[in-house]
């Protein structure tokens, strides 16, 4: 009530409150009373059904999404519904099972997949190949997930490329960079999620950086999802040559499963009733 025109009130981190993650209705109602209009621009948390991301907007009549979310959805919807072909994915990181639903969803549109990082070991094991010495042994769950993807890829005659050389099992080698680059050079759309190795350690960053630099030169639409991958591409010095970098890793993968996100879907539903603080019109006209 005491804010002057042009001033901003910032609340402390809502995660200090257990009610936030519990999507507590009373907590949501208290927050909703602080304002008359709700705008969310936190795409990275839109997959969470928490009080501030879901409970509050479900109570407020006047609500909407900001410009960052608008940009995120513009690029991600294109990947989901009408990517220019050929459309290739680059997948890395550690676990296949965490990304299985996203991969299965995108396989309806994708024309090929390059797999690096520790994730590649699950595919090697699924194919009966020897996992490199010193590599992290993939879990049974990840191997089964890889088998499912390989079966689906075989039905669709979809190529899945795996590393052909590695640096101590922590990075892809030069021959793999060359193989992946030649394959991706034909793409008109590329989605990249997950680094190709342990790039945070300089000894194992070269493969990820070189692939990032080569892909940067391609004329394809290039979309990157996930904080680690964005960090790697920025460290490679080529982030300005990519069309869209999304730091919302979990939100990106969940959205690309094709089932929407709670924090965005709630904006389209009919609001429940909450009584916000009442202001005089003059409060906004000074």
């Amino acid at each position: 009530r005491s804010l002057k025109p042009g001033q901003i009130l910032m609340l402390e981190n809502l995660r200090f409150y257990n009610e936030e993650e519990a999507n507590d209705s009373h907590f949501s109602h208290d927050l909703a009373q602080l304002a008359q209009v709700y705008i969310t621009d936190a795409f990275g948390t839109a997959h969470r059904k928490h009080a501030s991301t879901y409970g509050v907007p479900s109570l407020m009549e006047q609500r909407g999404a900001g410009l960052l979310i608008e940009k995120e959805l513009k690029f991600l919807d294109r990947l989901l519904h009408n990517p220019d072909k050929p459309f290739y994915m680059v997948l890395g990181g550690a676990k296949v099972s965490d990304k299985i639903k996203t991969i299965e969803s995108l396989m309806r549109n994708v024309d090929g997949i390059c797999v690096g990082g520790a994730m590649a070991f699950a595919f090697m094991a699924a194919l009966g190949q020897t996992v490199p010495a010193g590599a992290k042994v993939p879990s049974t769950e990840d191997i089964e997930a890889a088998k499912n993807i390989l079966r689906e890829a075989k039905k669709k005659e979809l190529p899945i490329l795996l590393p052909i050389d590695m640096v101590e099992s922590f990075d892809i080698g030069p021959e793999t960079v060359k193989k992946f680059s030649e394959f991706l050079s034909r793409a008109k759309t590329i989605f990249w999620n997950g680094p190709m190795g342990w790039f945070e350690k300089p000894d194992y960053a070269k493969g990820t950086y070189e692939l990032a630099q080569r892909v940067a030169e391609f004329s394809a639409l290039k979309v990157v999802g996930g904080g680690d991958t964005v960090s790697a591409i920025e460290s490679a010095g080529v982030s300005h040559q990519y069309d869209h970098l999304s730091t919302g890793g979990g939100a990106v993968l969940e959205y690309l499963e094709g089932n929407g996100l709670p924090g965005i879907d709630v904006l389209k539903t009919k609001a429940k009733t909450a009584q916000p603080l009442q202001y005089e019109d003059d409060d906004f006209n000074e």
Side-chain angles (χ1 to χ4, degrees):
R1 288 183 182 278
S2 63
L3 283 180
K4 293 180 172 56
Q7 288 187 329
I8 293 171
L9 172 68
M10 182 179 286
L11 304 182
E12 69 177 342
N13 189 338
L14 294 172
R15 286 190 158 202
F16 289 140
Y17 298 85
N18 293 331
E19 296 92 335
E20 162 68 356
E21 293 190 38
N23 191 27
D24 181 85
S25 59
H26 296 293
F27 188 65
S28 297
H29 194 277
D30 288 345
L31 290 173
Q33 288 186 327
L34 293 174
Q36 293 173 307
V37 179
Y38 176 95
I39 301 294
T40 177
D41 216 13
F43 180 77
T45 61
H47 61 307
R48 296 175 178 147
K49 211 169 183 179
H50 291 175
S52 64
T53 59
Y54 188 84
V56 175
S58 71
L59 295 170
M60 299 185 70
E61 293 270 351
Q62 303 210 47
R63 65 237 172 127
L67 299 177
L68 173 67
I69 285 182
E70 180 184 50
K71 184 184 179 188
E72 292 275 9
L73 299 186
K74 181 181 88 169
F75 282 99
L76 297 180
D77 282 341
R78 193 163 164 188
L79 297 183
L80 263 178
H81 304 300
N82 59 340
D84 289 339
K85 301 284 208 153
F87 171 26
Y88 295 144
M89 282 197 294
V90 181
L91 297 175
K95 291 187 174 181
V96 190
S97 52
D98 287 351
K99 304 177 183 182
I100 184 79
K101 290 181 181 176
T102 306
I103 298 168
E104 287 173 346
S105 176
L106 287 176
M107 279 175 77
R108 293 194 290 266
N109 284 325
V110 82
D111 300 297
I113 304 173
C114 294
V115 182
M119 178 185 287
F121 304 141
F123 283 87
M124 291 176 184
L127 290 167
Q129 298 176 7
T130 303
V131 174
K136 181 182 177 184
V137 178
S139 68
T140 303
E141 184 184 13
D142 281 350
I143 295 170
E144 286 305 311
K147 284 180 180 178
N148 289 337
I149 292 167
L150 288 165
R151 273 194 293 268
E152 192 63 26
K154 189 174 181 180
K155 284 183 204 170
K156 296 176 179 289
E157 298 182 346
L158 195 75
I160 294 183
L161 278 64
L162 299 176
I164 54 176
D165 64 336
M166 301 198 78
V167 180
E168 297 176 31
S169 79
F170 293 121
D171 190 19
I172 56 172
E175 291 304 312
T176 301
V177 171
K178 182 181 177 185
K179 178 184 176 184
F180 283 9
S181 300
E182 288 174 353
F183 180 72
L184 294 168
S185 67
R186 301 189 289 271
K188 291 196 174 173
T189 305
I190 296 171
F191 172 63
W192 186 342
N193 174 268
M196 297 290 98
W198 189 9
F199 79 96
E200 295 91 346
K201 194 163 182 175
D203 289 348
Y204 308 119
K206 190 175 181 182
T208 297
Y209 290 172
E210 284 193 359
L211 185 63
Q213 288 157 0
R214 294 198 190 190
V215 169
E217 300 295 327
F218 301 155
S219 60
L221 176 79
K222 300 177 285 289
V223 178
V224 178
D228 285 344
T229 322
V230 170
S231 176
I233 285 168
E234 287 176 341
S235 298
V238 290
S239 58
H240 62 287
Q241 292 175 261
Y242 283 73
D243 297 279
H244 183 58
L245 303 175
S246 174
T247 54
V252 168
L253 294 177
E254 204 160 307
Y255 190 78
L256 290 176
E257 289 175 18
N259 300 315
L261 297 175
I264 294 171
D265 295 341
V266 70
L267 303 176
K268 305 167 190 172
T269 61
K270 183 174 173 58
K272 302 168 190 174
T273 53
Q275 297 300 317
L277 292 174
Q278 298 301 310
Y279 300 90
E280 300 297 327
D281 286 342
D282 289 345
D283 293 342
F284 297 102
N285 294 330
E286 291 179 15

